[in-house]
Amino acid sequence: DIQMTQSPSSLSASLGERVSLTCRASQEISGYLSWLQQKPDGTIKRLIYAASTLDSGVPKRFSGSRSGSDYSLTISSLESEDFADYYCLQYASYRTFGGGTKLEIK
Amino acid sequence: EVKLVESGGGLVQPGGSLRLSCATSGFTFTDYYMSWVRQPPGKALEWLGFIRNKANGYTTEYSASVKGRFTISRDNSQSILYLQMNTLRAEDSATYYCARDIGGNYAGFAYWGQGTLVTVSA
């Protein structure tokens, strides 16, 4: 089974700050990775698919990238609505979520 | 508009059974894999399994944590996804979500239900 190791598990940052989250895949997933945002009310939204393709309507301050087996989500300038939980999800072989990152306001 | 609405959650005793439903609309149901995902309180999302689309014979796959206890099925005539959960344990307590998985050229998990809460307790 493919494991997804997500880091950090929590992150405290300020408005306007640039932050990056990372998921490392235990096996080759060939870019079959999405990033999801979950708000406190439980609502889940996909932000990025295929490692770097931004979903329609998602602000351009969000971006995704890949370096080998490491996949990153970067938010270029944090806004108040970005403080939420984030998960990566691989869909190359079955499905596996990362452990999540809780992004909090500093 | 794509919609997914889960129902069927509630309180169940350990060892009991429960069937969750996910009513869908706004897309061609048979074109898509459908997944179930759960989230225990305060914990991460966990993929439980999926049922493939018509092109792939509606076959199922499960995570090791629920294989043999949970069964995913679909009513393609009514566009409803099901999760039959048997021999429930306290650690199965979670919010359960359905999600539209891959289909054709579309990557999955763009659409989710609102979740339904399952509590396993005596």
Side-chain angles (χ1 to χ4, degrees), chain B residues 18-33:
Chain B
L18 206 59
R19 189 178 80 159
L20 306 183
S21 300
C22 171
T24 75
S25 60
F27 63 100
T28 304
F29 185 64
T30 54
D31 284 351
Y32 290 86
Y33 288 40

Side-chain angles (χ1 to χ4, degrees), chain A residues 34 36 38 42 44 46 49 55 87 89 91 94-100, chain B residues 33 37 39 43-47 50 61 97 101-102 107-110 112:
Chain A
S34 289
L36 306 166
Q38 186 179 32
I44 299 170
R46 192 183 71 184
Y49 62 95
D55 265 290
Y87 294 91
L89 165 66
Y91 51 97
Y94 304 137
R95 312 291 181 256
T96 313
F97 289 94
Chain B
Y33 288 40
V37 173
Q39 185 174 40
K43 296 192 175 180
L45 298 170
E46 177 190 12
W47 177 75
F50 64 52
E61 303 291 346
Y97 297 92
D101 205 310
I102 62 172
F109 298 90
W112 293 72

Side-chain angles (χ1 to χ4, degrees), chain A residues 1-56:
Chain A
D1 290 3
I2 297 175
Q3 310 301 319
M4 300 301 298
T5 303
Q6 187 171 344
S7 61
S9 58
S10 65
L11 179 58
S12 183
S14 303
L15 291 172
E17 190 171 338
R18 177 187 179 94
V19 298
S20 289
L21 318 178
T22 298
C23 274
R24 175 166 291 174
S26 64
Q27 300 175 37
E28 177 63 54
I29 59 170
S30 303
Y32 289 104
L33 182 119
S34 289
W35 287 97
L36 306 166
Q37 178 192 64
Q38 186 179 32
K39 290 293 184 76
D41 69 356
T43 303
I44 299 170
K45 178 182 179 181
R46 192 183 71 184
L47 304 173
I48 285 169
Y49 62 95
S52 60
T53 303
L54 201 65
D55 265 290
S56 176

